[in-house]
Amino acid sequence: RKEVEQDPGPFNVPEGATVAFNCTYSNSASQSFFWYRQDCRKEPKLLMSVYSSGNEDGRFTAQLNRASQYISLLIRDSKLSDSATYLCVVNPSGGSYIPTFGRGTSLIVHP
Amino acid sequence: EAQVTQNPRYLITVTGKKLTVTCSQNMNHEYMSWYRQDPGLGLRQIYYSMNVEVTDKGDVPEGYKVSRKEKRNFPLILESPSPNQTSLYFCASSLSRPEAFFGQGTRLTVV
């Protein structure tokens, strides 16, 4: 089983739609979690951290479910500019500094 | 402007010819790392550095070397490149995890 799994998509949604992605992780001792956004052929950019209590940043909401070992990203009122690949990142516990990136979920927002 | 600068952006080279990809950050970050990104495999960490003269292996260090003689620079060295090292490479830096800033990437082709 892969350490961090994401549905590659693509998710095709119209402007204004709400879309959600999940990401599952296998290491129950994982310590911290993040979502990154990557545009085609560009560098990944940190979108938001994921906190245990859930957190929101504008139209974006991130949730963590430790019991089921998944994190989610919800995008409300999708914009054309949200089209990108969304990467889930899980950092292990302890002294390791090797984060595990998911392969990404592709989102296409169309007019 | 805060940034991570990689050079070159594109490189085509031949098997066995030593090359260096440079990475420089202007944010006085302690933590720097190198990743490669391949289709279907996502981002994988090659090496990371917690500070000057402190480096450690990531997930896929074979065939690569790094050095951290100064805080701002973290070059990636391929002593004898092989075709399986053809990939998109990213350097990243942060004050602490996660990697908040990625370079623009270096697309390397080894023929």
Side-chain angles (χ1 to χ4, degrees), chain A residues 86-101:
Chain A
Y86 291 84
L87 307 175
C88 164
V89 181
V90 176
N91 274 336
S93 60
S96 173
Y97 291 96
I98 305 177
T100 302
F101 281 74

Side-chain angles (χ1 to χ4, degrees), chain B residues 38-105:
Chain B
D38 302 289
L41 292 177
L43 277 154
R44 293 177 293 168
Q45 193 179 66
I46 302 170
Y47 267 96
Y48 66 93
S49 169
M50 295 303 296
N51 213 326
V52 175
E53 303 291 0
V54 180
T55 64
D56 212 341
K57 296 177 180 178
D59 272 335
V60 288
E62 294 77 22
Y64 305 94
K65 286 173 58 177
V66 293
S67 69
R68 189 89 183 274
K69 293 183 169 55
E70 309 162 278
K71 202 173 203 178
R72 63 183 291 126
N73 295 323
F74 190 45
L76 179 70
I77 303 152
L78 284 73
E79 295 271 4
S80 183
S82 61
N84 65 11
Q85 292 178 299
T86 292
S87 188
L88 177 59
Y89 291 87
F90 288 105
C91 177
S93 80
S94 69
L95 272 175
S96 61
R97 291 180 290 167
E99 284 77 14
F101 295 91
F102 277 81
Q104 291 180 292

Side-chain angles (χ1 to χ4, degrees), chain A residues 4-7 11 19-25 32-38 44-51 55 57 60-65 70-75 85-91 100-106, chain B residues 98-100 102:
Chain A
V4 177
E5 292 200 58
Q6 295 183 251
D7 181 344
F11 285 60
V19 62
F21 312 132
N22 278 348
C23 166
T24 58
Y25 60 94
S32 51
F33 310 87
F34 311 92
W35 285 102
Y36 278 74
R37 171 198 169 122
Q38 185 174 26
K45 292 184 179 176
L46 179 64
L47 181 65
M48 59 197 300
S49 301
V50 186
Y51 302 121
N55 48 297
D57 183 1
F60 298 83
T61 300
Q63 300 269 2
L64 166 64
N65 185 319
Y70 74 85
I71 66 172
S72 63
L73 178 68
L74 180 80
I75 306 175
T85 296
Y86 291 84
L87 307 175
C88 164
V89 181
V90 176
N91 274 336
T100 302
F101 281 74
R103 297 179 185 182
T105 297
S106 175
Chain B
E99 284 77 14
F102 277 81

